[in-house]
Amino acid sequence: MTDAVKFDTALPAKRESRLKRFFQALALMRESPVGMIGLLLILFWVMMAILAPFLPLYDPNAIMAPFQKIGATAPDGGIFWLGTDHKGRDILSRIIWGAQKVLIWATFATFVAYVVGMLMGVLAGYKGGWADEIVSFIANIFLSFPFIILCIIIVATLGASGWTVVVAVTFASAPQIMRIVRGLVLDLKTRDYIFAAQTRGESPWYIMLVELLPNARGPLIVDACLRLGYTVVAIATLGFLGLGLPPPDPDWGLMLKEAVPLGAFAGHSMYLPAAALASLILGFNLLADGLREISLRD
Amino acid sequence: MLPTTAVTPVLECKNVNISYYTRAGEIPAVIDFNLTLMPGESMGIVGESGCGKSTVALAIMQYMGKNGRVKSGQILFNGRDLQTMGEDELRSIRGSQISMVYQEPMASLNPSMKIGEQLMEVPLYHESVTEAEAKQRSLDMLAAVRLPDPQRIMDAYPHQISGGQQQRVVIAMALLSKPALLLLDEPTTALDVTVEAGIVQLIKDISKQFGTSMIYISHNLGLILETCDRITVMYSGEAVEAGAVQSVFNEMRHPYTRGLFASIPLPGTNKNSRPLVPIRGQLPLPQNRPQGCYFSPRCDFFQAGRCDTKGGISMRPVSDEQRHDVRCVRFEDIDWANYRPIGLSGDKVEIGKTVLEVKHMKKYYELKDSSLIAMIKGKKVQYVKANEDINLVAHEAETVAIVGESGCGKSTFAKVLMGLEEATEGEVILNGLELSHTPVQQRKAQTVALLQMVFQNPFDTLNPSHTVGSQIARVIKKFDIESDPDKINQRVMELLDLVKLPRDFALRRPRQLSGGQKQRIGIARAFAGRPSVVVADEPVSALDVSVQAAVTGLLTDIQRNLKTTLLFISHDLSVVRYVSDRIVVMYLGHIMEQGTTDEIFNPPYHPYTEALLSAVPIADTSVKKRHIVLEGELPSPVNPPSGCPFQTRCPRKMCAICETQLPALQHTDTGHAIMCHIPIAELRKVEQVFQVEAAN
Amino acid sequence: MIVLAAKRLVAMLLIMLVVSFILFSLFEADKMAVAGKVLGPYSSIEQREIWLSQNGYDEPFLSRYTQWVGGALHGDFGDSLQYKVPVSELLADRLKNTGILALIFFLIMIPLSLTLGVLAGMKEGSWLDRIISIFSVLTTSIPEFVTATFLTGLFVYTWQLLPGTSSMTGGFSWQEMILPVMVLVIYDFGYVTRMTRASMAEVMTSQYIRTAILKGLPYKRVIMRHALRNALIAPFTVIVLQLNWLLSGLVVVEVFFAYKGFGSLLVDAALFGDIYVIEACVMVAVFIAVFSQFISDIGYTLLNPRIRFS
């Protein structure tokens, strides 16, 4: 079996531009139908988020007619494509604006968590010794809090806002990212090219950032994708618990919290944000799965 | 040889074609494979990686994985086609009538089951025996494979015994049901040379004692010569030559077989009179196999029109020999007597001034002992003496080899030299500069540039994220050789020329290179800063035989031309003998012997060197070799024996003094040094390990 | 082994100590804020200062901290601001409820996900494997409260089979347990299933399984004796570590179904600003998390002979 893989033979050389390689990577997605579905779901919501200001939508906070059914006619003659909620706000508009909000905050929070987590992980993994002990201990402290509980504490201390979400996600995710990166680095640092860099006297930061990190990108891309999903869940969960982005701005979690008790009269105002949320998170998970499948193949 | 009539062969492969089916389509792995194995015979299958030899073994076991399939042909076991058997029938044959020994003994044993249970399973499930009987048979078999204290082994988990012992357990397991056919897939590749010698001896004895037919798969021609009656040489999925070991080794007919032999350093080869000849080019990918003969692009005897015909080349018998077949249309025409290929150059170079001097260098590692006993005793720190009193001098343009098995401290020595580890004691002097306590980050760029390294594993040596050119350029920039981008680029091109790779390789990424090409880039990188010393840590051991010769040759050529000092770290005494001027033999952190290459290969020998020399398998029927099989296992450097480090395994051990006192170094007038209690005069009386008969 | 356990135990205590300090600093470093929380936002500065000196808040921060830790060790976390009862009484009752929920959940989840995971991993790439894998990705991807929304919609509003809240005001009721447990199982089993599957699939491609098959052992023996033991080591750790995950899930599910458990207590406290309850709840949660980490480390060592004997 392994015989077929180990040929002492070179592949033909190609000069590839970065853009071209990006599209090639995208083309690889075609080979994983699951990943493709995920990608499409994410792209759909990203498009919605980008286009939100340009679409002919009602103001998401404008109070019009409450409990309107799907496709009902609005007082101004327009159409409530997805009906209205208990306060009479347009659900379609709230879902699309909600998408924009959750995507912006989730991306930003994940990015911050990644910068912090990667630096901690590379430092702990490459330096070892005391640096590792200290960084790992700090990480273990934050890992000992269940995710939501850590978020609750932070929100309870700092008050609810988008920035609080960023802080909460950083504290909760960075230690996990640190662990992953540390593990990858521990494996990678025994490679001969790292020794080669050391024997030519490269500085530790050069080795960490130029020699080590680029080689950890495969698993990290998969993880980043999953983590974006978790962050969306976290933001929505905080919203649902009433600890998230403050009202009245549209927030999927908050929309659910308000709609569920009234589900008996207005099922759509509860099912629609739930479906939106499920589809976006599913998108991230499926894409991560597809990416993992493809990266394992080659 | 047994008469071939009337007796049914144990195994017969008839026109077997095996393919793997992947997303890229069908990949033929084995093509038109034929093999006949008579009872009691042993067949060696030899070839480089990717030649399909392991696929043949797995096909015989009918274990091809999800995407492999025997496309056509028959595999007859005792006259019955294994292909037509159902799962139940196969199960009753596997492990009882055909059994297998694998390359990695540790991975082949279940980590969470005691060895006893793993052994007893075989008789319990194949023959209806009682538990007690199964146990007794397992104990007997463990004793038969010469494992000490079988009862203890039965109760041990696999990780609790050494690699050599694990392989003996796997062999015992394979023999428990007295199989008619034993498949051995590179059974000693993962083991140290002296341990390998023990296993090879055992395999030879088994075939005598049990009369088991064997198929021995290896990349090492020497091992096949030692263990087998017949040999099949494979290349790119095809058998290219098959015959009795003696006749194939004495008169190879296929150009590939010839090439293979010419590229391994044998005791008869010599830099000047009989140089190594690498096979040019590289193995074709299965989807790029040429038309006609697969070897044709690399063959000096290629003839258009005859060698590249459509429909492939078939095996043809050699007319005046029995059962010797060759897959070459021209084998009768080739005039081997007047064939003079261009070998590796070996002009003697003048050895210059002293460049590197290591004096009484010691390297101890602290090992925190966290066991309860250690805590109670308050003795928390143990020392691993990785290097003990290392003395060594290397001159300009000289090649000094450091030879030893795993745990001998050769890699630690390299790390101290490079400044990745600090010496515990002693001095390392490079061009008059003391370096033993200067870590690499504190060395000046020029100093760092003077001492560079070539690494072992071609798959690890280059950073997969960066292009080949940028990795070489980084070295040039780092060492201030050039700073102008154009000049750096120019220098990268020159270095690519130096290692004989096309200039456009600068833009490639490592994954687009073959193992040998990566190793060449590694060499270019090491020489980029114009070093005065290059440390090469097993630079070719991970490469295929035919590529090894070319890379070794390239390395020594460059070194000689640039008058660089080369420290060649290796476990392979044949390669070392070919390339080096002086040899240092290490065992458990000590230098056991050091001297010129001639001194090491001739008496007086250190008893360890003697055993090491005799353990090297030699693929040459004209070389007679003494066999010395060492008892016991390689001790761990964490817990070394008292007295002489080699005393636990030494066949020449004298008395108490060896167990209590570290021997002193004995020097001869020429500088040959041996660390042993036995007087040199005594050691001088020992017979040579190799006797080369006159070449026939 | 014992040394390892002792080391882990020390590390665990150290983490608890650091966490308690951080927590105390966050909530009680600012005395005036504490008094504000207790006496309400409209209390005057004087009132607050009187309350502070009456309740021993004049002492230096560190001595207040040690007293608080001392009290916490005896189970004394003070009185809840919201319910005006000792926090320990409140917590004991809520923890019992959460324990019941968690127990039922584990009893269903563990056998379900181990079985599915082993079945899927046994033959990687088979149709069974694909179905199980896709199903578990789908269910794990959807957050608990979304699952809860859909289930409530169907079982409560549309079919009217089950109650929509599980506050158990009329005593324990199995009916009210069904939806919370169902949501937790659906959300969580996929993760363990996937872990088990990955572990099993890896073991099945290992060389020692090849050895076992080529020894001619019956397939059942290969699976039961050779594969399972090695394949279940990883899921064991995952399941124990699930306790930590589960706490997050429990918070959401309890709030959704108004189940009077530990999680809903914490969220109520956070919304109300009931700092003594928050402190107590977080300490308990962290203890559970750290302790499960400890158990999983020790268990992993015990299950894995390669580590046990080295």
Side-chain angles (χ1 to χ4, degrees):
Chain A
M1 178 65 243
T2 49
D3 258 20
V5 197
K6 286 196 302 186
F7 292 99
D8 190 73
T9 315
L11 297 161
K14 269 183 223 141
R15 189 171 189 176
E16 300 156 341
S17 72
R18 267 172 200 286
L19 198 68
K20 202 171 159 198
R21 275 171 49 211
F22 174 75
F23 280 111
Q24 279 173 348
L26 214 63
L28 269 178
M29 257 353 281
R30 275 197 316 232
E31 294 182 10
S32 161
V34 167
M36 203 64 205
I37 295 171
L39 188 65
L40 288 177
L41 283 173
I42 295 170
L43 282 179
F44 170 77
W45 285 114
V46 170
M47 289 306 290
M48 286 293 129
I50 294 172
L51 295 178
F54 311 108
L55 293 175
L57 295 172
Y58 288 107
D59 176 351
N61 293 328
I63 291 169
M64 293 168 284
F67 294 120
Q68 291 299 306
K69 295 275 176 242
I70 292 177
T73 312
D76 64 358
I79 297 169
F80 293 127
W81 293 104
L82 297 181
T84 60
D85 67 3
H86 61 290
K87 284 190 178 154
R89 296 172 296 193
D90 180 40
I91 291 179
L92 176 68
S93 169
R94 287 182 74 73
I95 285 180
I96 290 176
W97 283 100
Q100 189 195 56
K101 201 163 160 188
V102 79
L103 278 173
I104 289 174
W105 284 115
T107 312
F108 184 62
T110 311
F111 178 76
V112 173
Y114 247 88
V115 172
V116 176
M118 280 202 298
L119 288 179
M120 282 168 74
V122 178
L123 188 73
Y126 182 69
K127 285 274 187 179
W130 277 107
D132 186 19
E133 297 273 337
I134 292 170
V135 171
S136 294
F137 184 76
I138 296 174
N140 279 339
I141 289 175
F142 289 104
L143 284 173
S144 62
F145 290 94
F147 191 86
I148 289 298
I149 292 181
L150 185 61
C151 293
I152 290 174
I153 299 170
I154 291 170
V155 174
T157 355
L158 297 180
S161 79
W163 297 104
T164 309
V165 170
V166 175
V167 173
V169 169
T170 306
F171 274 109
S173 286
Q176 295 175 8
I177 297 165
M178 174 258 161
R179 273 204 175 176
I180 295 169
V181 175
R182 179 177 172 273
L184 289 168
V185 168
L186 280 180
D187 174 31
L188 287 173
K189 82 168 178 181
T190 60
R191 304 290 165 94
D192 283 342
Y193 55 84
I194 300 302
F195 282 126
Q198 288 169 337
T199 56
R200 62 172 187 262
E202 297 287 5
S203 73
W205 282 107
Y206 178 89
I207 295 177
M208 286 188 243
L209 299 179
V210 181
E211 302 277 348
L212 279 173
L213 263 190
N215 293 306
R217 62 173 180 247
L220 288 185
I221 290 173
V222 174
D223 177 75
C225 194
L226 275 179
R227 208 159 288 285
L228 265 169
Y230 294 152
T231 311
V232 171
V233 176
I235 294 174
T237 306
L238 287 175
F240 177 79
L241 296 177
L243 296 161
L245 308 171
D249 279 347
D251 175 282
W252 289 355
L254 193 62
M255 284 168 79
L256 263 183
K257 177 191 165 78
E258 291 169 351
V260 169
L262 306 164
F265 325 101
H268 66 283
S269 68
M270 156 176 107
Y271 288 131
L272 289 169
L277 192 51
S279 68
L280 178 58
I281 293 158
L282 194 63
F284 283 118
N285 278 276
L286 293 181
L287 181 62
D289 242 40
L291 286 172
R292 187 185 296 125
E293 196 184 326
I294 286 167
S295 70
L296 285 182
R297 264 190 212 157
D298 297 308
Chain B
M1 227 66 346
L2 293 153
T4 44
T5 46
V7 185
T8 326
V10 176
L11 185 80
E12 206 174 359
C13 296
K14 286 185 178 167
N15 309 323
V16 173
N17 286 286
I18 305 167
S19 287
Y20 288 108
Y21 296 86
T22 66
R23 285 180 300 142
E26 180 187 339
I27 296 176
V30 172
I31 301 126
D32 188 28
F33 185 81
N34 287 284
L35 177 150
T36 309
L37 186 72
M38 304 309 289
E41 252 182 358
S42 51
M43 163 71 85
I45 300 181
V46 76
E48 299 175 275
S49 59
C51 73
K53 54 189 191 300
S54 297
T55 307
V56 169
L58 292 174
I60 295 168
M61 285 310 241
Q62 294 291 306
Y63 186 80
M64 302 290 299
K66 268 188 299 206
N67 50 4
R69 192 154 62 79
V70 177
K71 209 173 112 190
S72 61
Q74 288 178 304
I75 303 174
L76 305 173
F77 175 68
N78 283 333
R80 298 198 45 220
D81 193 349
L82 290 164
Q83 296 279 101
T84 58
M85 290 184 192
E87 267 306 310
D88 284 334
E89 202 171 357
L90 279 175
R91 189 180 305 135
S92 68
I93 286 179
R94 286 174 181 159
S96 72
Q97 296 187 55
I98 310 179
S99 53
M100 189 159 172
V101 175
Y102 314 87
Q103 178 167 358
E104 286 170 54
M106 179 68 173
S108 305
L109 292 169
N110 191 331
S112 66
M113 272 168 82
K114 286 188 177 163
I115 286 168
E117 191 182 351
Q118 298 192 48
L119 285 170
M120 282 156 63
E121 274 183 335
V122 177
L124 280 174
Y125 280 88
H126 281 299
E127 303 152 56
S128 23
V129 293
T130 62
E131 191 106 346
E133 203 179 332
K135 186 162 187 193
Q136 192 51 48
R137 277 176 55 179
S138 305
L139 282 167
D140 293 347
M141 192 50 82
L142 285 177
V145 296
R146 280 172 241 137
L147 276 166
D149 200 355
Q151 188 58 58
R152 186 185 66 85
I153 303 264
M154 290 280 278
D155 287 331
Y157 286 97
H159 67 274
Q160 292 173 307
I161 61 177
S162 74
Q165 290 176 327
Q166 285 166 358
Q167 195 59 296
R168 284 173 196 264
V169 167
V170 175
I171 293 173
M173 197 173 349
L175 291 173
L176 262 172
S177 278
K178 307 229 166 6
L181 174 60
L182 179 63
L183 303 176
L184 301 125
D185 187 1
E186 304 259 12
T188 59
T189 308
L191 305 173
D192 271 311
V193 196
T194 55
V195 180
E196 172 179 85
I199 301 280
V200 169
Q201 188 64 46
L202 175 68
I203 292 168
K204 282 197 279 188
D205 294 350
I206 286 167
S207 57
K208 271 197 211 116
Q209 190 185 341
F210 296 89
T212 316
S213 304
M214 290 196 310
I215 290 184
Y216 192 114
I217 292 167
S218 177
H219 65 282
N220 190 326
L221 286 160
L223 283 175
I224 301 290
L225 176 62
E226 287 196 11
T227 49
C228 297
D229 310 322
R230 297 179 57 74
I231 179 173
T232 299
V233 182
M234 289 186 76
Y235 180 78
S236 190
E238 285 182 335
V240 293
E241 183 158 2
V245 161
Q246 290 295 327
S247 59
V248 172
F249 276 64
N250 288 336
E251 194 171 0
M252 300 142 236
R253 306 290 182 140
H254 196 283
Y256 174 66
T257 320
R258 280 269 172 174
L260 213 51
F261 274 89
S263 56
I264 49 175
L266 297 169
T269 52
N270 182 294
K271 271 178 265 189
N272 305 312
S273 63
R274 203 175 137 193
L276 285 188
V277 187
I279 305 178
R280 65 192 156 85
Q282 47 189 318
L283 208 71
L285 277 175
Q287 52 271 36
N288 299 336
R289 284 176 184 139
Q291 195 171 305
C293 172
Y294 293 164
F295 188 61
S296 58
R298 306 175 73 185
C299 181
D300 284 343
F301 303 98
F302 171 74
Q303 235 179 31
R306 288 189 70 189
C307 298
D308 53 2
T309 48
K310 266 196 180 140
I313 314 281
S314 52
M315 285 288 250
R316 287 184 304 126
V318 177
S319 54
D320 51 346
E321 284 178 75
Q322 262 210 331
R323 295 173 72 196
H324 186 169
D325 302 285
V326 180
R327 195 186 293 270
C328 175
V329 284
R330 301 198 58 216
F331 77 87
E332 293 99 337
D333 318 345
I334 299 171
D335 179 13
W336 290 113
N338 289 311
Y339 175 58
R340 290 280 174 274
I342 310 151
L344 300 177
S345 77
D347 306 332
K348 200 85 183 141
V349 203
E350 208 52 39
I351 285 176
K353 60 179 194 334
T354 301
V355 173
L356 178 76
E357 207 178 347
V358 180
K359 288 184 193 165
H360 304 291
M361 198 276 280
K362 284 184 186 174
K363 175 66 195 172
Y364 292 179
Y365 287 104
E366 271 183 30
L367 193 75
K368 289 214 180 73
D369 188 350
S370 56
S371 71
L372 200 59
I373 300 158
M375 276 183 117
I376 292 164
K377 284 188 179 164
K379 185 189 149 198
K380 274 171 94 175
V381 181
Q382 260 188 316
Y383 287 101
V384 180
K385 297 175 179 176
N387 282 167
E388 188 73 90
D389 200 21
I390 303 289
N391 290 287
L392 183 113
V393 178
H395 303 91
E396 188 181 72
E398 189 181 31
T399 303
V400 179
I402 298 169
V403 178
E405 297 173 276
S406 51
C408 76
K410 53 189 199 277
S411 304
T412 305
F413 176 66
K415 280 187 185 163
V416 174
L417 274 191
M418 303 310 295
L420 298 180
E421 301 275 0
E422 208 173 311
T424 312
E425 252 178 59
E427 294 173 68
V428 174
I429 300 163
L430 176 70
N431 289 343
L433 212 62
E434 213 289 312
L435 290 176
S436 62
H437 297 290
T438 321
V440 66
Q441 283 94 345
Q442 289 166 26
R443 294 182 185 178
K444 288 202 198 87
Q446 296 101 304
T447 317
V448 175
L450 286 180
L451 186 60
Q452 281 297 297
M453 191 155 171
V454 178
F455 296 90
Q456 173 175 11
N457 188 341
F459 300 97
D460 258 20
T461 189
L462 302 177
N463 192 323
S465 297
H466 305 300
T467 61
V468 165
S470 71
Q471 296 192 52
I472 301 176
R474 174 73 197 172
V475 182
I476 299 168
K477 248 180 286 178
K478 183 77 194 167
F479 294 156
D480 291 332
I481 306 289
E482 301 286 354
S483 51
D484 176 61
D486 288 336
K487 285 196 175 153
I488 290 177
N489 199 30
Q490 185 55 37
R491 179 88 184 114
V492 170
M493 295 304 152
E494 287 168 20
L495 284 161
L496 285 172
D497 296 345
L498 184 72
V499 295
K500 302 196 174 91
L501 288 176
R503 290 187 163 198
D504 66 338
F505 269 43
L507 299 174
R508 291 198 183 191
R509 272 166 210 282
R511 67 184 159 81
Q512 297 167 312
L513 266 54
S514 73
Q517 289 167 342
K518 282 183 204 162
Q519 222 42 350
R520 281 165 192 262
I521 300 290
I523 292 171
R525 185 177 58 186
F527 282 92
R530 306 202 176 100
S532 58
V533 179
V534 167
V535 179
D537 186 1
E538 307 256 13
V540 295
S541 64
L543 301 177
D544 268 320
V545 183
S546 65
V547 184
Q548 271 186 10
V551 174
T552 313
L554 178 81
L555 180 63
T556 47
D557 269 359
I558 298 172
Q559 175 240 340
R560 275 161 210 276
N561 290 339
L562 301 177
K563 290 188 174 303
T564 318
T565 307
L566 182 65
L567 289 187
F568 193 93
I569 298 175
S570 179
H571 69 280
D572 184 347
L573 272 167
S574 343
V575 177
V576 160
R577 184 183 157 281
Y578 193 83
V579 300
S580 54
D581 304 305
R582 282 194 309 113
I583 296 176
V584 175
V585 180
M586 290 183 71
Y587 186 78
L588 289 182
H590 292 263
I591 293 185
M592 306 305 271
E593 182 172 4
Q594 89 171 282
T596 64
T597 306
D598 274 347
E599 283 168 344
I600 297 292
F601 277 78
N602 292 295
Y605 299 114
H606 187 284
Y608 174 61
T609 315
E610 192 185 355
L612 208 55
L613 287 174
S614 93
V616 178
I618 308 250
D620 190 339
T621 49
S622 67
V623 174
K624 291 282 161 285
K625 195 178 78 173
R626 284 195 289 128
H627 283 279
I628 302 163
V629 173
L630 293 182
E631 297 293 316
E633 301 291 321
L634 254 167
S636 143
V638 184
N639 192 11
S642 62
C644 173
F646 188 52
Q647 53 102 349
T648 50
R649 302 168 77 201
C650 182
R652 297 188 188 279
K653 182 171 154 187
M654 297 192 301
C655 45
I657 189 165
C658 292
E659 287 174 17
T660 51
Q661 213 174 326
L662 190 70
L665 267 183
Q666 309 182 61
H667 294 270
T668 66
D669 319 334
T670 51
H672 184 193
I674 294 178
M675 192 177 88
C676 187
H677 287 299
I678 307 171
I680 286 210
E682 205 61 34
L683 291 170
R684 219 182 276 283
K685 292 179 196 158
V686 170
E687 202 191 331
Q688 279 226 317
V689 174
F690 307 119
Q691 304 277 358
V692 184
E693 292 170 4
N696 39 351
Chain C
M1 181 66 228
I2 300 165
V3 178
L4 178 88
K7 271 186 186 167
R8 291 279 173 212
L9 213 60
V10 170
M12 176 179 150
L13 289 175
L14 202 60
I15 286 182
M16 292 291 297
L17 207 65
V18 174
V19 166
S20 69
F21 187 77
I22 294 175
L23 209 60
F24 192 76
S25 320
L26 275 179
F27 289 107
E28 298 202 32
D30 184 356
K31 291 190 276 189
M32 284 319 244
V34 177
K37 291 255 165 65
V38 175
L39 302 175
Y42 304 111
S43 53
S44 66
I45 305 285
E46 291 77 25
Q47 285 172 311
R48 293 186 191 188
E49 272 167 357
I50 293 165
W51 183 85
L52 283 174
S53 60
Q54 278 173 350
N55 287 279
Y57 273 82
D58 285 343
E59 284 183 54
F61 176 72
L62 276 180
S63 91
R64 279 199 286 134
Y65 169 68
T66 40
Q67 278 171 18
W68 177 74
V69 171
L73 286 177
H74 292 98
D76 176 15
F77 285 95
D79 289 348
S80 158
L81 305 177
Q82 191 179 5
Y83 301 98
K84 314 288 181 211
V85 290
V87 174
S88 49
E89 276 176 32
L90 201 59
L91 200 60
D93 184 44
R94 295 300 191 98
L95 273 176
K96 190 194 81 198
N97 289 344
T98 297
I100 295 170
L101 181 58
L103 186 72
I104 299 174
F105 157 71
F106 271 122
L107 285 179
I108 296 171
M109 187 274 284
I110 293 175
L112 180 75
S113 45
L114 289 187
T115 317
L116 289 177
V118 167
L119 284 176
M122 240 160 63
K123 283 224 170 83
E124 211 185 346
S126 63
W127 61 269
L128 187 66
D129 173 33
R130 287 185 182 283
I131 290 174
I132 292 174
S133 295
I134 290 176
F135 190 60
S136 47
V137 183
L138 288 180
T139 53
T140 339
S141 298
I142 302 170
E144 314 89 321
F145 60 94
V146 174
T147 319
T149 304
F150 286 123
L151 290 184
T152 306
L154 291 177
F155 287 95
V156 183
Y157 297 142
T158 308
W159 298 328
Q160 304 190 341
L161 289 173
L162 292 169
T165 56
S166 312
S167 48
M168 311 255 168
T169 36
F172 184 82
S173 139
W174 281 106
Q175 274 212 322
E176 295 185 18
M177 280 312 266
I178 294 175
L179 276 178
V181 169
M182 199 144 81
V183 170
L184 283 174
V185 170
I186 288 177
Y187 176 62
D188 212 65
F189 89 95
Y191 185 66
V192 182
T193 303
R194 274 154 69 90
M195 281 294 165
T196 314
R197 174 195 173 272
S199 176
M200 186 71 184
E202 195 194 322
V203 166
M204 287 309 285
T205 57
S206 72
Q207 295 192 30
Y208 58 84
I209 292 300
R210 182 180 71 183
T211 310
I213 293 172
L214 296 187
K215 260 198 247 180
L217 298 179
Y219 191 62
K220 198 176 146 199
R221 166 94 183 166
V222 173
I223 296 292
M224 301 304 283
R225 189 69 192 89
H226 284 263
L228 271 188
R229 165 81 188 260
N230 292 298
L232 289 183
I233 294 175
F236 165 79
T237 29
V238 170
I239 287 171
V240 179
L241 292 177
Q242 282 297 297
L243 271 174
N244 194 338
W245 255 117
L246 183 67
L247 283 175
S248 287
L250 277 171
V251 171
V252 175
V253 168
E254 287 181 4
V255 171
F256 194 102
F257 292 106
Y259 184 79
K260 296 241 176 290
F262 161 83
S264 54
L265 178 67
L266 175 60
V267 172
D268 282 349
L271 290 170
F272 187 86
D274 195 345
I275 52 173
Y276 301 129
V277 175
I278 299 181
E279 284 169 356
C281 285
V282 172
M283 284 318 289
V284 169
V286 170
F287 174 76
I288 293 172
V290 177
F291 189 68
S292 60
Q293 174 80 52
F294 173 74
I295 295 290
S296 116
D297 283 354
I298 299 296
Y300 185 76
T301 326
L302 283 177
L303 284 174
N304 200 336
R306 228 185 290 185
I307 298 178
R308 195 181 349 148
F309 291 106
S310 61

